[in-house]
mmCIF file of all heavy atoms in Angstrom:
data_model
loop_
_atom_site.group_PDB
_atom_site.id
_atom_site.type_symbol
_atom_site.label_atom_id
_atom_site.label_comp_id
_atom_site.label_asym_id
_atom_site.label_seq_id
_atom_site.Cartn_x
_atom_site.Cartn_y
_atom_site.Cartn_z
ATOM 1 N N LEU A 1 -21.857 8.650 13.182
ATOM 2 C CA LEU A 1 -21.174 8.211 14.370
ATOM 3 C C LEU A 1 -21.521 9.056 15.602
ATOM 4 O O LEU A 1 -21.651 8.515 16.726
ATOM 5 C CB LEU A 1 -19.673 8.231 14.177
ATOM 6 C CG LEU A 1 -19.096 7.278 13.110
ATOM 7 C CD1 LEU A 1 -17.590 7.402 13.059
ATOM 8 C CD2 LEU A 1 -19.507 5.827 13.386
ATOM 9 N N GLY A 2 -21.722 10.329 15.414
ATOM 10 C CA GLY A 2 -21.985 11.207 16.515
ATOM 11 C C GLY A 2 -20.688 11.800 17.115
ATOM 12 O O GLY A 2 -19.673 11.109 17.175
ATOM 13 N N GLY A 3 -20.752 13.025 17.529
ATOM 14 C CA GLY A 3 -19.553 13.758 17.983
ATOM 15 C C GLY A 3 -18.907 13.086 19.165
ATOM 16 O O GLY A 3 -17.670 12.997 19.243
ATOM 17 N N ALA A 4 -19.683 12.621 20.159
ATOM 18 C CA ALA A 4 -19.109 12.024 21.349
ATOM 19 C C ALA A 4 -18.331 10.743 21.046
ATOM 20 O O ALA A 4 -17.210 10.544 21.539
ATOM 21 C CB ALA A 4 -20.195 11.738 22.355
ATOM 22 N N VAL A 5 -18.888 9.910 20.155
ATOM 23 C CA VAL A 5 -18.206 8.673 19.755
ATOM 24 C C VAL A 5 -16.919 9.016 19.014
ATOM 25 O O VAL A 5 -15.853 8.414 19.254
ATOM 26 C CB VAL A 5 -19.140 7.792 18.903
ATOM 27 C CG1 VAL A 5 -18.357 6.589 18.304
ATOM 28 C CG2 VAL A 5 -20.282 7.272 19.734
ATOM 29 N N VAL A 6 -16.995 9.979 18.098
ATOM 30 C CA VAL A 6 -15.797 10.334 17.340
ATOM 31 C C VAL A 6 -14.706 10.831 18.278
ATOM 32 O O VAL A 6 -13.519 10.488 18.127
ATOM 33 C CB VAL A 6 -16.137 11.376 16.259
ATOM 34 C CG1 VAL A 6 -14.833 11.947 15.638
ATOM 35 C CG2 VAL A 6 -17.059 10.781 15.201
ATOM 36 N N ARG A 7 -15.089 11.681 19.241
ATOM 37 C CA ARG A 7 -14.063 12.180 20.197
ATOM 38 C C ARG A 7 -13.429 11.012 20.975
ATOM 39 O O ARG A 7 -12.212 10.987 21.221
ATOM 40 C CB ARG A 7 -14.707 13.150 21.126
ATOM 41 C CG ARG A 7 -14.972 14.546 20.522
ATOM 42 C CD ARG A 7 -15.343 15.573 21.531
ATOM 43 N NE ARG A 7 -16.614 15.291 22.191
ATOM 44 C CZ ARG A 7 -17.800 15.637 21.719
ATOM 45 N NH1 ARG A 7 -17.870 16.323 20.604
ATOM 46 N NH2 ARG A 7 -18.907 15.349 22.402
ATOM 47 N N GLU A 8 -14.212 10.020 21.376
ATOM 48 C CA GLU A 8 -13.680 8.857 22.092
ATOM 49 C C GLU A 8 -12.723 8.067 21.196
ATOM 50 O O GLU A 8 -11.681 7.605 21.615
ATOM 51 C CB GLU A 8 -14.801 7.970 22.577
ATOM 52 C CG GLU A 8 -15.562 8.522 23.738
ATOM 53 C CD GLU A 8 -14.760 8.540 25.006
ATOM 54 O OE1 GLU A 8 -13.813 7.710 25.123
ATOM 55 O OE2 GLU A 8 -15.030 9.386 25.912
ATOM 56 N N ILE A 9 -13.101 7.928 19.906
ATOM 57 C CA ILE A 9 -12.241 7.187 18.965
ATOM 58 C C ILE A 9 -10.915 7.901 18.807
ATOM 59 O O ILE A 9 -9.826 7.287 18.842
ATOM 60 C CB ILE A 9 -12.942 7.026 17.613
ATOM 61 C CG1 ILE A 9 -14.127 6.066 17.760
ATOM 62 C CG2 ILE A 9 -11.947 6.495 16.548
ATOM 63 C CD1 ILE A 9 -15.000 5.969 16.515
ATOM 64 N N LEU A 10 -10.967 9.246 18.640
ATOM 65 C CA LEU A 10 -9.745 10.018 18.473
ATOM 66 C C LEU A 10 -8.855 9.917 19.715
ATOM 67 O O LEU A 10 -7.606 9.799 19.617
ATOM 68 C CB LEU A 10 -10.066 11.509 18.211
ATOM 69 C CG LEU A 10 -10.798 11.852 16.911
ATOM 70 C CD1 LEU A 10 -11.065 13.312 16.820
ATOM 71 C CD2 LEU A 10 -9.969 11.373 15.724
ATOM 72 N N MET A 11 -9.491 9.894 20.900
ATOM 73 C CA MET A 11 -8.703 9.804 22.105
ATOM 74 C C MET A 11 -8.078 8.445 22.267
ATOM 75 O O MET A 11 -6.915 8.300 22.633
ATOM 76 C CB MET A 11 -9.610 10.103 23.331
ATOM 77 C CG MET A 11 -8.880 10.166 24.652
ATOM 78 S SD MET A 11 -10.009 10.567 26.021
ATOM 79 C CE MET A 11 -10.623 12.162 25.433
ATOM 80 N N ARG A 12 -8.866 7.373 21.959
ATOM 81 C CA ARG A 12 -8.349 5.999 22.145
ATOM 82 C C ARG A 12 -7.239 5.692 21.127
ATOM 83 O O ARG A 12 -6.296 4.977 21.490
ATOM 84 C CB ARG A 12 -9.491 5.001 22.014
ATOM 85 C CG ARG A 12 -9.095 3.586 22.318
ATOM 86 C CD ARG A 12 -10.259 2.627 22.367
ATOM 87 N NE ARG A 12 -11.179 2.906 23.497
ATOM 88 C CZ ARG A 12 -12.216 2.118 23.763
ATOM 89 N NH1 ARG A 12 -12.508 1.072 23.043
ATOM 90 N NH2 ARG A 12 -13.004 2.461 24.786
ATOM 91 N N THR A 13 -7.363 6.204 19.922
ATOM 92 C CA THR A 13 -6.312 5.937 18.894
ATOM 93 C C THR A 13 -5.155 6.916 18.981
ATOM 94 O O THR A 13 -4.177 6.736 18.268
ATOM 95 C CB THR A 13 -6.950 6.013 17.490
ATOM 96 O OG1 THR A 13 -7.508 7.336 17.286
ATOM 97 C CG2 THR A 13 -7.997 4.956 17.272
ATOM 98 N N LYS A 14 -5.288 7.934 19.835
ATOM 99 C CA LYS A 14 -4.235 8.969 19.997
ATOM 100 C C LYS A 14 -3.928 9.658 18.665
ATOM 101 O O LYS A 14 -2.799 9.973 18.341
ATOM 102 C CB LYS A 14 -2.939 8.374 20.553
ATOM 103 C CG LYS A 14 -3.154 7.669 21.924
ATOM 104 C CD LYS A 14 -1.856 7.088 22.446
ATOM 105 C CE LYS A 14 -2.117 6.450 23.806
ATOM 106 N NZ LYS A 14 -0.896 5.767 24.358
ATOM 107 N N ALA A 15 -5.045 9.926 17.941
ATOM 108 C CA ALA A 15 -4.871 10.576 16.623
ATOM 109 C C ALA A 15 -4.417 11.994 16.775
ATOM 110 O O ALA A 15 -4.876 12.746 17.645
ATOM 111 C CB ALA A 15 -6.219 10.541 15.895
ATOM 112 N N GLN A 16 -3.511 12.429 15.878
ATOM 113 C CA GLN A 16 -2.936 13.759 15.860
ATOM 114 C C GLN A 16 -3.304 14.412 14.532
ATOM 115 O O GLN A 16 -3.725 13.768 13.589
ATOM 116 C CB GLN A 16 -1.426 13.683 16.017
ATOM 117 C CG GLN A 16 -0.948 12.972 17.264
ATOM 118 C CD GLN A 16 -1.292 13.679 18.534
ATOM 119 O OE1 GLN A 16 -1.156 14.904 18.608
ATOM 120 N NE2 GLN A 16 -1.753 12.923 19.543
ATOM 121 N N ALA A 17 -3.101 15.719 14.496
ATOM 122 C CA ALA A 17 -3.344 16.451 13.262
ATOM 123 C C ALA A 17 -2.505 15.874 12.140
ATOM 124 O O ALA A 17 -1.292 15.658 12.313
ATOM 125 C CB ALA A 17 -3.008 17.938 13.435
ATOM 126 N N GLY A 18 -3.138 15.636 10.989
ATOM 127 C CA GLY A 18 -2.416 15.080 9.851
ATOM 128 C C GLY A 18 -2.532 13.570 9.732
ATOM 129 O O GLY A 18 -2.081 12.991 8.736
ATOM 130 N N ASP A 19 -3.116 12.911 10.734
ATOM 131 C CA ASP A 19 -3.231 11.469 10.720
ATOM 132 C C ASP A 19 -4.461 11.041 9.937
ATOM 133 O O ASP A 19 -5.357 11.799 9.617
ATOM 134 C CB ASP A 19 -3.313 10.892 12.132
ATOM 135 C CG ASP A 19 -2.008 11.035 12.918
ATOM 136 O OD1 ASP A 19 -1.021 11.378 12.278
ATOM 137 O OD2 ASP A 19 -2.041 10.819 14.130
ATOM 138 N N LEU A 20 -4.491 9.710 9.656
ATOM 139 C CA LEU A 20 -5.653 9.079 9.037
ATOM 140 C C LEU A 20 -6.045 7.870 9.816
ATOM 141 O O LEU A 20 -5.141 7.143 10.305
ATOM 142 C CB LEU A 20 -5.351 8.705 7.565
ATOM 143 C CG LEU A 20 -6.443 7.939 6.848
ATOM 144 C CD1 LEU A 20 -7.162 8.882 5.921
ATOM 145 C CD2 LEU A 20 -5.918 6.743 6.085
ATOM 146 N N LEU A 21 -7.330 7.640 9.994
ATOM 147 C CA LEU A 21 -7.815 6.429 10.658
ATOM 148 C C LEU A 21 -8.512 5.538 9.637
ATOM 149 O O LEU A 21 -9.428 6.005 8.936
ATOM 150 C CB LEU A 21 -8.788 6.768 11.773
ATOM 151 C CG LEU A 21 -8.267 7.616 12.932
ATOM 152 C CD1 LEU A 21 -9.388 7.877 13.929
ATOM 153 C CD2 LEU A 21 -7.112 6.942 13.616
ATOM 154 N N PHE A 22 -8.058 4.294 9.514
ATOM 155 C CA PHE A 22 -8.774 3.284 8.749
ATOM 156 C C PHE A 22 -9.580 2.421 9.712
ATOM 157 O O PHE A 22 -9.160 2.185 10.835
ATOM 158 C CB PHE A 22 -7.785 2.412 7.990
ATOM 159 C CG PHE A 22 -7.263 2.986 6.700
ATOM 160 C CD1 PHE A 22 -5.920 3.065 6.443
ATOM 161 C CD2 PHE A 22 -8.158 3.410 5.727
ATOM 162 C CE1 PHE A 22 -5.441 3.583 5.256
ATOM 163 C CE2 PHE A 22 -7.702 3.922 4.517
ATOM 164 C CZ PHE A 22 -6.327 4.032 4.260
ATOM 165 N N PHE A 23 -10.732 1.918 9.233
ATOM 166 C CA PHE A 23 -11.591 1.102 10.087
ATOM 167 C C PHE A 23 -11.880 -0.248 9.400
ATOM 168 O O PHE A 23 -12.088 -0.312 8.203
ATOM 169 C CB PHE A 23 -12.907 1.801 10.357
ATOM 170 C CG PHE A 23 -12.749 3.086 11.114
ATOM 171 C CD1 PHE A 23 -12.581 4.306 10.455
ATOM 172 C CD2 PHE A 23 -12.744 3.085 12.514
ATOM 173 C CE1 PHE A 23 -12.410 5.481 11.144
ATOM 174 C CE2 PHE A 23 -12.577 4.296 13.220
ATOM 175 C CZ PHE A 23 -12.412 5.492 12.517
ATOM 176 N N GLY A 24 -11.980 -1.287 10.216
ATOM 177 C CA GLY A 24 -12.407 -2.599 9.773
ATOM 178 C C GLY A 24 -13.575 -3.072 10.618
ATOM 179 O O GLY A 24 -13.462 -2.997 11.864
ATOM 180 N N ALA A 25 -14.645 -3.498 10.016
ATOM 181 C CA ALA A 25 -15.823 -3.984 10.753
ATOM 182 C C ALA A 25 -16.423 -5.167 10.006
ATOM 183 O O ALA A 25 -16.968 -5.003 8.902
ATOM 184 C CB ALA A 25 -16.864 -2.873 10.891
ATOM 185 N N ASP A 26 -16.275 -6.363 10.586
ATOM 186 C CA ASP A 26 -16.785 -7.567 9.925
ATOM 187 C C ASP A 26 -16.572 -8.712 10.896
ATOM 188 O O ASP A 26 -16.252 -8.497 12.057
ATOM 189 C CB ASP A 26 -16.056 -7.823 8.608
ATOM 190 C CG ASP A 26 -16.914 -8.516 7.562
ATOM 191 O OD1 ASP A 26 -17.505 -9.565 7.912
ATOM 192 O OD2 ASP A 26 -17.021 -8.057 6.431
ATOM 193 N N SER A 27 -16.692 -9.926 10.386
ATOM 194 C CA SER A 27 -16.321 -11.095 11.211
ATOM 195 C C SER A 27 -14.845 -10.943 11.640
ATOM 196 O O SER A 27 -14.051 -10.269 10.969
ATOM 197 C CB SER A 27 -16.495 -12.383 10.461
ATOM 198 O OG SER A 27 -15.524 -12.482 9.434
ATOM 199 N N ALA A 28 -14.515 -11.512 12.788
ATOM 200 C CA ALA A 28 -13.136 -11.366 13.301
ATOM 201 C C ALA A 28 -12.138 -11.878 12.241
ATOM 202 O O ALA A 28 -11.067 -11.316 12.046
ATOM 203 C CB ALA A 28 -12.972 -12.132 14.603
ATOM 204 N N ARG A 29 -12.512 -12.971 11.539
ATOM 205 C CA ARG A 29 -11.551 -13.519 10.551
ATOM 206 C C ARG A 29 -11.341 -12.540 9.440
ATOM 207 O O ARG A 29 -10.186 -12.302 9.050
ATOM 208 C CB ARG A 29 -12.164 -14.829 10.005
ATOM 209 C CG ARG A 29 -11.260 -15.480 8.978
ATOM 210 C CD ARG A 29 -11.971 -16.675 8.308
ATOM 211 N NE ARG A 29 -13.160 -16.296 7.576
ATOM 212 C CZ ARG A 29 -13.130 -15.732 6.347
ATOM 213 N NH1 ARG A 29 -11.950 -15.520 5.719
ATOM 214 N NH2 ARG A 29 -14.224 -15.400 5.728
ATOM 215 N N VAL A 30 -12.432 -11.938 8.895
ATOM 216 C CA VAL A 30 -12.279 -11.009 7.790
ATOM 217 C C VAL A 30 -11.506 -9.762 8.214
ATOM 218 O O VAL A 30 -10.612 -9.267 7.512
ATOM 219 C CB VAL A 30 -13.622 -10.624 7.200
ATOM 220 C CG1 VAL A 30 -13.505 -9.466 6.196
ATOM 221 C CG2 VAL A 30 -14.250 -11.829 6.483
ATOM 222 N N VAL A 31 -11.846 -9.228 9.386
ATOM 223 C CA VAL A 31 -11.135 -8.061 9.879
ATOM 224 C C VAL A 31 -9.635 -8.330 10.062
ATOM 225 O O VAL A 31 -8.784 -7.571 9.652
ATOM 226 C CB VAL A 31 -11.765 -7.569 11.193
ATOM 227 C CG1 VAL A 31 -10.874 -6.469 11.866
ATOM 228 C CG2 VAL A 31 -13.146 -6.975 10.965
ATOM 229 N N ASN A 32 -9.348 -9.456 10.688
ATOM 230 C CA ASN A 32 -7.927 -9.793 10.928
ATOM 231 C C ASN A 32 -7.172 -9.937 9.615
ATOM 232 O O ASN A 32 -6.045 -9.409 9.484
ATOM 233 C CB ASN A 32 -7.818 -11.049 11.744
ATOM 234 C CG ASN A 32 -8.282 -10.847 13.190
ATOM 235 O OD1 ASN A 32 -8.378 -9.705 13.674
ATOM 236 N ND2 ASN A 32 -8.593 -11.905 13.875
ATOM 237 N N GLU A 33 -7.735 -10.634 8.676
ATOM 238 C CA GLU A 33 -7.066 -10.885 7.419
ATOM 239 C C GLU A 33 -6.951 -9.633 6.570
ATOM 240 O O GLU A 33 -5.888 -9.294 6.027
ATOM 241 C CB GLU A 33 -7.760 -12.010 6.643
ATOM 242 C CG GLU A 33 -7.604 -13.375 7.275
ATOM 243 C CD GLU A 33 -8.282 -14.495 6.490
ATOM 244 O OE1 GLU A 33 -8.818 -14.190 5.384
ATOM 245 O OE2 GLU A 33 -8.272 -15.637 6.928
ATOM 246 N N ALA A 34 -8.077 -8.914 6.441
ATOM 247 C CA ALA A 34 -8.091 -7.720 5.573
ATOM 248 C C ALA A 34 -7.259 -6.549 6.188
ATOM 249 O O ALA A 34 -6.404 -5.973 5.525
ATOM 250 C CB ALA A 34 -9.515 -7.233 5.313
ATOM 251 N N MET A 35 -7.490 -6.267 7.437
ATOM 252 C CA MET A 35 -6.769 -5.171 8.071
ATOM 253 C C MET A 35 -5.305 -5.539 8.332
ATOM 254 O O MET A 35 -4.429 -4.700 8.349
ATOM 255 C CB MET A 35 -7.499 -4.758 9.360
ATOM 256 C CG MET A 35 -8.874 -4.164 9.166
ATOM 257 S SD MET A 35 -8.835 -2.605 8.206
ATOM 258 C CE MET A 35 -8.113 -1.493 9.419
ATOM 259 N N GLY A 36 -5.079 -6.818 8.610
ATOM 260 C CA GLY A 36 -3.707 -7.262 8.755
ATOM 261 C C GLY A 36 -2.878 -7.068 7.490
ATOM 262 O O GLY A 36 -1.754 -6.626 7.507
ATOM 263 N N ALA A 37 -3.502 -7.427 6.345
ATOM 264 C CA ALA A 37 -2.844 -7.220 5.049
ATOM 265 C C ALA A 37 -2.683 -5.756 4.764
ATOM 266 O O ALA A 37 -1.629 -5.274 4.255
ATOM 267 C CB ALA A 37 -3.643 -7.921 3.920
ATOM 268 N N LEU A 38 -3.710 -4.948 5.099
ATOM 269 C CA LEU A 38 -3.629 -3.509 4.908
ATOM 270 C C LEU A 38 -2.518 -2.872 5.725
ATOM 271 O O LEU A 38 -1.778 -1.991 5.280
ATOM 272 C CB LEU A 38 -4.963 -2.833 5.246
ATOM 273 C CG LEU A 38 -5.055 -1.337 5.040
ATOM 274 C CD1 LEU A 38 -4.953 -0.952 3.567
ATOM 275 C CD2 LEU A 38 -6.351 -0.766 5.634
ATOM 276 N N ARG A 39 -2.385 -3.363 6.950
ATOM 277 C CA ARG A 39 -1.283 -2.869 7.831
ATOM 278 C C ARG A 39 0.054 -3.052 7.148
ATOM 279 O O ARG A 39 0.897 -2.152 7.145
ATOM 280 C CB ARG A 39 -1.382 -3.631 9.140
ATOM 281 C CG ARG A 39 -0.167 -3.378 10.063
ATOM 282 C CD ARG A 39 -0.300 -4.146 11.364
ATOM 283 N NE ARG A 39 0.858 -3.979 12.190
ATOM 284 C CZ ARG A 39 1.931 -4.753 12.161
ATOM 285 N NH1 ARG A 39 1.926 -5.856 11.347
ATOM 286 N NH2 ARG A 39 2.976 -4.500 12.903
ATOM 287 N N LEU A 40 0.305 -4.218 6.611
ATOM 288 C CA LEU A 40 1.577 -4.480 5.928
ATOM 289 C C LEU A 40 1.758 -3.609 4.697
ATOM 290 O O LEU A 40 2.818 -3.074 4.445
ATOM 291 C CB LEU A 40 1.674 -5.960 5.554
ATOM 292 C CG LEU A 40 1.654 -6.934 6.715
ATOM 293 C CD1 LEU A 40 1.741 -8.376 6.222
ATOM 294 C CD2 LEU A 40 2.771 -6.693 7.723
ATOM 295 N N ARG A 41 0.675 -3.478 3.907
ATOM 296 C CA ARG A 41 0.744 -2.689 2.685
ATOM 297 C C ARG A 41 0.998 -1.218 2.970
ATOM 298 O O ARG A 41 1.882 -0.598 2.347
ATOM 299 C CB ARG A 41 -0.565 -2.875 1.907
ATOM 300 C CG ARG A 41 -0.806 -1.952 0.710
ATOM 301 C CD ARG A 41 -0.139 -2.456 -0.530
ATOM 302 N NE ARG A 41 -0.432 -1.606 -1.661
ATOM 303 C CZ ARG A 41 -1.453 -1.757 -2.512
ATOM 304 N NH1 ARG A 41 -2.280 -2.790 -2.366
ATOM 305 N NH2 ARG A 41 -1.671 -0.915 -3.502
ATOM 306 N N VAL A 42 0.225 -0.629 3.877
ATOM 307 C CA VAL A 42 0.401 0.759 4.181
ATOM 308 C C VAL A 42 1.796 1.016 4.841
ATOM 309 O O VAL A 42 2.430 2.007 4.502
ATOM 310 C CB VAL A 42 -0.747 1.241 5.138
ATOM 311 C CG1 VAL A 42 -0.485 2.692 5.590
ATOM 312 C CG2 VAL A 42 -2.092 1.174 4.383
ATOM 313 N N GLY A 43 2.178 0.146 5.741
ATOM 314 C CA GLY A 43 3.473 0.311 6.352
ATOM 315 C C GLY A 43 4.599 0.341 5.359
ATOM 316 O O GLY A 43 5.513 1.129 5.426
ATOM 317 N N SER A 44 4.514 -0.541 4.324
ATOM 318 C CA SER A 44 5.499 -0.560 3.262
ATOM 319 C C SER A 44 5.400 0.674 2.372
ATOM 320 O O SER A 44 6.399 1.306 2.058
ATOM 321 C CB SER A 44 5.371 -1.831 2.459
ATOM 322 O OG SER A 44 6.230 -1.867 1.357
ATOM 323 N N ASP A 45 4.165 1.000 1.946
ATOM 324 C CA ASP A 45 3.980 2.104 1.013
ATOM 325 C C ASP A 45 4.489 3.413 1.625
ATOM 326 O O ASP A 45 4.993 4.281 0.915
ATOM 327 C CB ASP A 45 2.506 2.274 0.678
ATOM 328 C CG ASP A 45 1.995 1.152 -0.225
ATOM 329 O OD1 ASP A 45 2.845 0.390 -0.745
ATOM 330 O OD2 ASP A 45 0.778 1.073 -0.423
ATOM 331 N N ARG A 46 4.331 3.596 2.940
ATOM 332 C CA ARG A 46 4.636 4.898 3.563
ATOM 333 C C ARG A 46 6.017 4.889 4.243
ATOM 334 O O ARG A 46 6.334 5.825 4.999
ATOM 335 C CB ARG A 46 3.542 5.239 4.545
ATOM 336 C CG ARG A 46 2.157 5.242 3.905
ATOM 337 C CD ARG A 46 1.190 6.217 4.289
ATOM 338 N NE ARG A 46 1.521 7.478 4.772
ATOM 339 C CZ ARG A 46 1.308 8.625 4.127
ATOM 340 N NH1 ARG A 46 0.815 8.575 2.894
ATOM 341 N NH2 ARG A 46 1.539 9.783 4.690
ATOM 342 N N GLY A 47 6.761 3.841 4.003
ATOM 343 C CA GLY A 47 8.122 3.796 4.553
ATOM 344 C C GLY A 47 8.148 3.767 6.079
ATOM 345 O O GLY A 47 9.074 4.290 6.694
ATOM 346 N N LEU A 48 7.190 3.102 6.688
ATOM 347 C CA LEU A 48 7.108 3.089 8.150
ATOM 348 C C LEU A 48 7.860 1.920 8.788
ATOM 349 O O LEU A 48 8.059 1.900 10.013
ATOM 350 C CB LEU A 48 5.636 3.030 8.593
ATOM 351 C CG LEU A 48 4.739 4.209 8.175
ATOM 352 C CD1 LEU A 48 3.304 3.951 8.571
ATOM 353 C CD2 LEU A 48 5.240 5.499 8.727
#
């Protein structure tokens, strides 16, 4: 990715120490369905 890109990603996502970033890259349909389902699963698993 390169350091500059990573720094921009951290800034845009407002990542803090102890956080995790998940990424989705595919057709819009696959990203929406897969990451949308992951959002629900992780939110439930982590009590968010």
Side-chain angles (χ1 to χ4, degrees):
L1 297 181
V5 169
V6 171
R7 285 192 294 274
E8 287 290 335
I9 290 173
L10 295 179
M11 185 178 301
R12 187 172 292 185
T13 58
K14 300 179 181 178
Q16 305 293 317
D19 291 349
L20 176 102
L21 299 179
F22 278 127
F23 297 91
D26 210 310
S27 69
R29 180 188 63 79
V30 169
V31 169
N32 291 341
E33 292 181 3
M35 294 297 288
L38 181 66
R39 171 180 177 267
L40 298 179
R41 170 84 177 267
V42 172
S44 175
D45 289 350
R46 306 216 29 112
L48 300 176

